[in-house]
Amino acid sequence: MRSNGSMCAPLETSSSRHSHALKSLAAIAVSTPCRRGQEICGQGRPAEAWYRLVSGAARRFVLRSDGRRQIVDLLLPGDFFGFALDAEFDYTVEAIVADTVVAAYQRKRAEDLADHDPQLARELREIAFEALARMQSQLLIIGRITALEKVGSFILEMSNRLSDREGDRVLLPVSRYDIADYLAVSVETVSRALTDLKHRGLIRLSGTRNVKIVNRGALEESDRIGQVAHF
Amino acid sequence: MRSNGSMCAPLETSSSRHSHALKSLAAIAVSTPCRRGQEICGQGRPAEAWYRLVSGAARRFVLRSDGRRQIVDLLLPGDFFGFALDAEFDYTVEAIVADTVVAAYQRKRAEDLADHDPQLARELREIAFEALARMQSQLLIIGRITALEKVGSFILEMSNRLSDREGDRVLLPVSRYDIADYLAVSVETVSRALTDLKHRGLIRLSGTRNVKIVNRGALEESDRIGQVAHF
DNA sequence: CGGGACTTTGAAACCCTTCAATGCCAGTGG
DNA sequence: CCACTGGCATTGAAGGGTTTCAAAGTCCCG
C-alpha cells in the first residue's frame, strides 16, 4: 500500500497527515509517559482504547507457546495502534525506549465522535490503512530468503520511517533482540548479518545503534545480497 | 486480533457480519465473475474501488524484482480487499479458482455513502480491522521456524477460515505454488512438509487438495513439530 | 493421445539455528 | 573507587533444515 519507493522521502509522518483527526481526538486524548519496557496494552486485556505513539518507540508482539516472541509491528512517533476485532487484545504493546509518550483515546468515545464527524471517520479509515501498509511491509521483509536481505531491508525500512534521520544515518530505537523477533530470525544471525553488511561496505556502524548507510543502492537493489553464482 | 482459538467455530463469516454495510453498499455494487488467473486489480493501477470476494478464492501478491512472488493475503468468500494508501495499488489481486465472483464498490461513492451513514463507517472500520487480523495471522505463520510448522499452521488457518469445511476436512483452494508463495518457502519444501505430516499421521491426503486433519492437537500444540530433543 | 501445468522425490550446497563462550557497558553496592 | 552483576552484543563450531538443480511422475484438458 505504501510504495516502498527507493529514494522517495516519506518525511510526511503520520502526525502531519490526519491533522483533522488529531484535532478532533485531542479532546478525549489522555497522554501518558512510559518507562522502558512498560506495558501499554496487554494480550487478554479488554480492548477499550486506541492509541497513538507521540514520541519514543514501542513494540507490538505476540508470545508463542514455546516462549518465542514475534514482534508484529514496530510503533514509531505518529503511528496509531490498539485496534482489535474481539473484545480483548490478542497482542501486547510495550514501550521500548525511555522517553516514550502514548496518547490513549477511549474507543467508545472516539467512535461516537466519528459518528458525527465524517472527516474523522475518513481519517480513521486512513489510519487503519496505514497499519495495513506497515504490516504488508513487514511481511515482505520477513518473506525474503536470506538473513542478509532481511536485515538489509529492515535498515532501509527504518531509514524510511524514522523522521529523525539525517542523510543516511539511522538511529535504531531497538536492540538486536528486537530486530531478531521482528524478522523472525535468531539474535546471532542478526548480529552476523550486520557485521557482514559492514564488511561488504554497505553500512557503517558507530556503536550498536547508529547505522550509516554507505551504499543504499546495493542495499535495496540486491534481492539476493551475498548470493554466489552457482557455477 | 482474531483469537485463533483451537476448536472455536468462526463459522460466522465476514458475510454474516457487516449486514448493514452489505445492504448499504449493495446499491453501488458491481459484481463480476472471474476466470481462473484473471487479474482483479493490478499493481500500479489507480486504486479507485474496494472489493469483496463473493465466491471462489483470490490471491493478493507483490512481485519482487527477482521474479519471486510473495502472496500477502489470501481472499476467501466474504473478505474485503483493495485498500490502498496511495493513489495506486502496490499489489496485484488475481482470481485463483474458476467460479470466483467479485463485488466492486467505487471508492468515491462508498466513502460518500459512509459520510452520511455512521453505521456503515463503523463497519468499514471493522472490515479494515479484519484485514489487519488476517495479515497478523499470516505474519505469525510465516514467522515460525520450520517448514513443517508453517505448513501445519497454514492448514489449520485454512480450516478455520474455510466455511465449507466439514468436520476436519479442508479443501485447499490453492496449488502448492500458492502455498509456497504464501509461506515464503520453496514449492519443494511445501510438498515435502505435506508428505512428512502425512507420514507422521497428522493429516491424510485425498488427491492433492483434499486434506483431512487426523490429529488436530498435534498440529496446533506442537510449536516445534518434528523437533528432536538435542540430547 | 499428447501437451502443459502441477506435484513429488533425490542429492548436494548453503544458510540458519543452537549451544557455548567471550566481550562490552551501565548501573549498583561494597 | 572498584569489583560485581545483568543485559546486550559478538564470534565460533556443529548440526540440521531449506534451497537449488535435476528428473520423473501425475493429472487435466484440449
Side-chain angles (χ1 to χ4, degrees), chain A residues 1-3 17 50 60 62 64-66 68 70 72 83-86 90-91 107 111-112 114-115 118 121-122 124-126 128-133 135-136 138-140 142-145 184 221 223-224, chain B residues 1-3 17 50 60 62 64-66 68 70 72 83-86 90-91 107 111-112 114-115 118 121-122 124-126 128-133 135-136 138-140 142-145 184 221 223-224:
Chain A
M1 326 211 109
R2 170 181 302 161
S3 64
R17 301 185 206 166
W50 293 333
R60 186 162 73 84
V62 174
R64 301 176 188 280
S65 46
D66 64 348
R68 237 159 56 83
Q70 175 68 57
V72 291
F83 308 128
L85 262 184
D86 303 325
D90 64 346
Y91 53 79
R107 179 173 171 172
E111 301 243 38
D112 287 344
D115 282 348
R122 280 186 188 238
L124 284 175
R125 273 198 296 278
E126 194 80 5
F129 294 168
E130 277 176 13
L132 269 171
M135 295 210 70
Q136 178 171 322
Q138 186 176 354
L139 209 45
L140 288 173
I142 290 192
R144 295 195 158 230
I145 301 182
E221 276 176 27
D223 280 283
R224 295 292 296 279
Chain B
M1 326 209 108
R2 171 181 300 160
S3 62
R17 303 184 206 166
W50 293 332
R60 187 162 72 84
V62 174
R64 301 176 189 279
S65 46
D66 63 349
R68 238 159 54 83
Q70 175 69 57
V72 291
F83 308 128
L85 261 185
D86 303 324
D90 65 344
Y91 51 80
R107 180 174 170 172
E111 302 243 38
D112 286 343
D115 282 348
R122 280 187 188 237
L124 284 175
R125 274 198 296 278
E126 194 79 8
F129 295 167
E130 278 175 13
L132 267 171
M135 296 210 68
Q136 178 171 322
Q138 185 177 354
L139 208 47
L140 288 173
I142 289 192
R144 297 198 156 225
I145 302 181
E221 276 176 27
D223 279 284
R224 296 292 295 279

